[in-house]
Amino acid sequence: MGRRVLIAIPFLWLLILFLIPFLIVFKISLSDYALARPPYLPQYNPDEGLWALISQLDFETYAFIFSDSLYINAYLSSLQIAAICTLACLALGYPMAYAMARAPKRWQPLLVMLVILPFWTSFLIRVYAWIGILKTEGLLNVFLLWTGAIAEPLAIYNTNIAVCIGIIYTYLPFMILPLYATLERMDDSLLEAAEDLGCSRLSAFWSITLPLSLPGIIAGSFLVFIPAVGEFVIPDLLGGSSNLMIGKTLWVEFFNNRDWTVASAVAMLMLAGLIIPIVLFQRQQERDREAGR
């Protein structure tokens, strides 16, 4: 009984905070736009019953989204920016995590604390700080002009480059920590054995370290890519009006246009586009483990 109660707690948490809101948003995405409060129809009427409500739902909103290039371009742009930022975080985070894992044991807690130290400051304050760094008269341009590296200020602020910089800076710790946890647990005797058998350090890294660190790479990539796809604050503050990402598009539809049905459908498609590949990947991983690969 105690085990069942313990397992039921997280399931109840997911039911209340994920499944029920998910069903509500899904129902709104199947509704029709209306100048009412709330701004969608149909509404549930106890006298008519649940079936009368279900019979009025349709997929017209989804058809509209797939026929409008604005939403398709927003999805593609979000996936592109998230993929670039994930690869950049991996390129920056792997050497940092590797150095942390190979550092003396007495220094490792301090290094981990330095990685998570930015979380002690408000997320918005950190993003606003990048505005002061990247804008035309910001710290970066002032420094580059002072050193003579550039002749005129760089136009970085309000571009996709600024958005990528903000996302990489924000989510880099989410790449470093899983990689560090994986590399820190790795058995060093495997590398010693490989070197004794004639492998160079570089070949031992490619043959042993990198394959064994794949779980950390996958976990870190998921932790960066998934929130980066739906990011809203960073594109809104650093990307300006020209930036097109699905999180910002969803916010505009919900709050500015008050089109809850389109916003809900956009959210559902974004969720499906992220969850379905992850579930398929996890099932493939389970099959590989069962097959002993």
Side-chain angles (χ1 to χ4, degrees):
M1 179 62 69
R3 183 182 302 175
R4 292 179 179 177
V5 172
L6 186 62
I7 295 175
I9 292 175
F11 276 98
L12 183 63
W13 179 272
L14 290 175
L15 174 67
I16 296 174
L17 297 181
F18 178 78
L19 183 58
I20 294 177
F22 172 84
L23 294 176
I24 293 173
V25 173
F26 182 61
K27 183 266 174 186
I28 296 174
S29 70
L30 299 177
S31 303
D32 297 320
Y33 176 77
L35 294 174
R37 186 181 294 272
Y40 58 86
L41 291 174
Q43 302 296 323
Y44 174 68
N45 188 345
D47 297 333
E48 297 179 356
L50 183 60
W51 178 250
L53 173 67
I54 296 176
S55 62
Q56 299 179 62
L57 303 178
D58 53 56
F59 289 89
E60 291 181 358
T61 304
Y62 290 93
F64 168 73
I65 290 175
F66 283 114
S67 64
D68 194 324
S69 60
L70 171 67
Y71 304 104
I72 297 175
N73 292 335
Y75 279 116
L76 295 178
S77 176
S78 299
L79 292 174
Q80 180 184 21
I81 291 176
I84 292 173
C85 293
T86 302
L87 292 176
C89 285
L90 179 60
L92 294 172
Y94 198 102
M96 296 175 66
Y98 186 86
M100 291 168 58
R102 292 293 173 266
K105 293 292 183 181
R106 66 179 183 275
W107 291 106
Q108 289 184 12
L110 176 62
L111 295 175
V112 173
M113 187 192 70
L114 292 176
V115 171
I116 64 175
L117 192 63
F119 293 111
W120 295 6
T121 306
S122 171
F123 168 71
L124 284 176
I125 293 177
R126 289 185 281 130
V127 176
Y128 272 113
W130 277 106
I131 297 177
I133 295 173
L134 299 177
K135 62 183 181 179
T136 305
E137 64 276 11
L139 181 62
L140 178 61
N141 277 314
V142 170
F143 175 75
L144 293 177
L145 289 171
W146 176 72
T147 58
I150 57 176
E152 57 183 15
L154 299 175
I156 301 177
Y157 181 54
N158 284 342
T159 64
N160 286 341
I161 296 176
V163 174
C164 289
I165 292 174
I167 292 177
I168 293 168
Y169 165 76
T170 301
Y171 293 108
L172 183 60
F174 293 99
M175 180 66 76
I176 295 175
L177 294 177
L179 284 170
Y180 165 75
T182 302
L183 293 170
E184 196 273 335
R185 293 196 303 266
M186 194 177 68
D187 190 357
D188 292 337
S189 63
L190 296 175
L191 297 176
E192 296 175 0
E195 293 178 3
D196 291 341
L197 293 174
C199 283
S200 63
R201 289 190 176 183
L202 183 59
S203 60
F205 171 82
W206 286 107
S207 302
I208 298 175
T209 304
L210 187 62
L212 291 178
S213 63
L214 279 179
I217 294 175
I218 295 170
S221 298
F222 280 153
L223 289 175
V224 174
F225 182 80
I226 292 175
V229 170
E231 181 61 51
F232 160 70
V233 175
I234 295 174
D236 186 58
L237 294 180
L238 299 181
S241 58
S242 61
N243 179 261
L244 187 64
M245 290 189 69
I246 199 62
K248 187 176 179 180
T249 303
L250 193 154
W251 190 92
V252 170
E253 291 291 348
F254 192 90
F255 290 99
N256 289 1
N257 300 339
R258 286 189 57 80
D259 196 338
W260 289 19
T261 58
V262 169
S264 299
V266 168
M268 294 301 301
L269 290 174
M270 182 176 65
L271 186 63
L274 294 175
I275 289 182
I276 292 176
I278 293 174
V279 171
L280 295 176
F281 175 79
Q282 289 179 338
R283 290 185 176 180
Q284 183 62 41
Q285 291 289 99
E286 292 175 0
R287 295 192 192 99
D288 292 343
R289 283 195 295 267
E290 292 174 357
R293 298 178 185 176

